[in-house]
Amino acid sequence: MFISPMLLATAPGPFSHSEFIFEPKVDGHRLIYSQQSGNVRLYTRHNNDCTRQYPELTLPFDSDIILDGEVACTDPETGLNDFEAVMSRFSTRQHSKIQQFIKTLPATFAIFDILQYKGHDLRKLPLIERKAILHGLHLPSNSFGVVPHIEGAGEDLYTQIETMGMEGVVGKRKDSQYVSRRSKDWMKVINWSYADVFIIGYKKAEFGWLAAVPDQSGKMSPVGIIEHGPSPKHKQAFRGVCQQLVTGEDKNHVYLEPRIQARVKMRSWTKSGLLRIPVFDQFIV
């Protein structure tokens, strides 16, 4: 049984509040774990069945249950969540490769909420009561874990997360009910990284600025597409300048001289040298 997950609003920055609990933001992908009549199914936040990809997470609990959390893989060198490893697991359908990944890229289900248990719908209970039930569960194996939380001290936790290079912090109102929509009762604070890039072109059909950075020889190396962040004034300013810098075009893009520089914030650099989810921050003049 799939339940559409509760989604996070974005806080303007780290905060502390006595009516909130705070937990580390797990860098993986959302997972709804459903056990009905002893049958376990796993779903992404968009109701895509991904049971096949994570056999180690299909072990049953002592009773029927629906849980919310994140699938994560750990980088053995850094001890941090490895988002690209999770995406490798998610995109793999071949049985033999999945079996190999169980050993080389084991997945963990980091649980942060319980929605149903033993035939009872728990979503209208206050979060802090759902957490108490969750922490009392017997987990099927060490592939399952409960996300820890603290009360009130969100800024202190964020400082620790920032120092460790983790993704961020989630603040949740203690008395919040579970609703299947985005809510300000749950707030994320992302530990952004920043980079300075050149805009070397743009998409024709939809908004998107092509970003690049100079390599060691000074040649521009593409690093991704900026699709979020600029205000209407930023876009207007870009349009006022870019037509003077056009060097060519193809079916999908217009290309520019690398004269416009911008600062972007992103989750991280990928292992292949691309910006992960770049968001425009400001022009550099």
Side-chain angles (χ1 to χ4, degrees):
M1 176 181 173
F2 173 75
I3 292 178
S4 186
M6 187 166 176
L7 302 178
L8 305 169
T10 301
F15 68 100
S16 298
H17 198 294
S18 61
E19 295 181 7
F20 279 72
I21 62 168
F22 296 88
E23 55 195 29
K25 190 174 188 306
V26 179
D27 194 7
H29 80 72
R30 198 74 172 263
L31 189 80
I32 300 295
Y33 173 106
S34 173
Q35 178 182 326
Q36 303 294 309
S37 300
N39 182 44
V40 175
R41 308 302 298 178
L42 310 177
Y43 302 94
T44 71
R45 60 175 280 189
H46 297 297
N47 195 15
N48 295 313
D49 191 310
C50 58
T51 311
R52 178 180 176 184
Q53 288 95 307
Y54 306 109
E56 67 268 51
L57 303 183
T58 59
L59 298 177
F61 283 75
D62 63 357
S63 182
D64 284 357
I65 195 169
I66 298 180
L67 299 164
D68 188 5
E70 294 264 334
V71 179
C73 292
T74 301
D75 185 325
E77 294 184 3
T78 65
L80 300 177
N81 296 151
D82 186 341
F83 182 76
E84 291 179 70
V86 176
M87 290 299 97
S88 293
R89 287 294 308 264
F90 178 71
S91 61
T92 300
R93 302 292 190 272
Q94 186 178 349
H95 177 74
S96 60
K97 195 164 186 179
I98 290 171
Q99 293 302 310
Q100 179 183 352
F101 273 156
I102 292 174
K103 299 177 182 178
T104 60
L105 286 179
T108 299
F109 183 34
I111 310 163
F112 51 68
D113 214 329
I114 180 168
L115 314 186
Q116 289 187 13
Y117 188 44
K118 295 184 177 181
H120 297 286
D121 189 337
L122 308 179
R123 287 175 287 176
K124 290 188 177 181
L125 292 179
L127 171 64
I128 203 69
E129 292 185 26
R130 301 198 305 273
K131 287 285 191 182
I133 296 170
L134 179 58
H135 281 275
L137 293 178
H138 174 71
L139 303 179
S141 77
N142 58 10
S143 294
F144 295 75
V146 175
V147 177
H149 67 268
I150 61 171
E151 297 192 20
E155 290 162 300
D156 289 344
L157 179 59
Y158 183 83
T159 298
Q160 295 178 40
I161 293 295
E162 189 176 34
T163 300
M164 296 171 66
M166 297 173 67
E167 191 190 16
V169 167
V170 176
K172 299 177 178 178
R173 194 173 289 278
K174 293 179 185 178
D175 63 358
S176 61
Q177 297 181 352
Y178 192 97
V179 293
S180 294
R181 56 178 170 78
R182 196 172 302 280
S183 170
K184 290 185 178 180
D185 285 343
W186 288 16
M187 303 283 282
K188 61 184 175 183
V189 183
I190 301 298
N191 177 25
W192 295 104
S193 297
Y194 289 83
D196 295 341
V197 302
F198 288 90
I199 300 175
I200 60 167
Y202 59 88
K203 288 183 174 182
K204 287 183 176 180
E206 57 199 12
F207 176 76
W209 292 340
L210 311 184
V213 297
D215 61 20
Q216 293 181 345
S217 66
K219 182 181 178 181
M220 286 293 158
S221 178
V223 293
I225 301 175
I226 303 167
E227 297 179 320
H228 305 285
S231 67
K233 287 187 176 181
H234 288 128
K235 293 179 180 179
Q236 182 179 9
F238 176 82
R239 288 192 295 268
V241 174
C242 71
Q243 296 308 315
Q244 308 166 37
L245 304 175
V246 174
T247 60
E249 61 182 278
D250 58 25
K251 181 180 178 181
N252 299 314
H253 305 104
V254 174
Y255 298 100
L256 308 174
E257 294 179 38
R259 302 275 296 277
I260 302 173
Q261 196 171 14
R263 179 159 294 141
V264 296
K265 58 184 182 180
M266 76 283 192
R267 298 292 179 91
S268 60
W269 288 96
T270 70
K271 293 175 182 177
S272 58
L274 299 177
L275 303 168
R276 183 180 158 211
I277 317 178
V279 177
F280 174 85
D281 185 58
Q282 62 180 312
F283 287 118
I284 299 173
V285 295

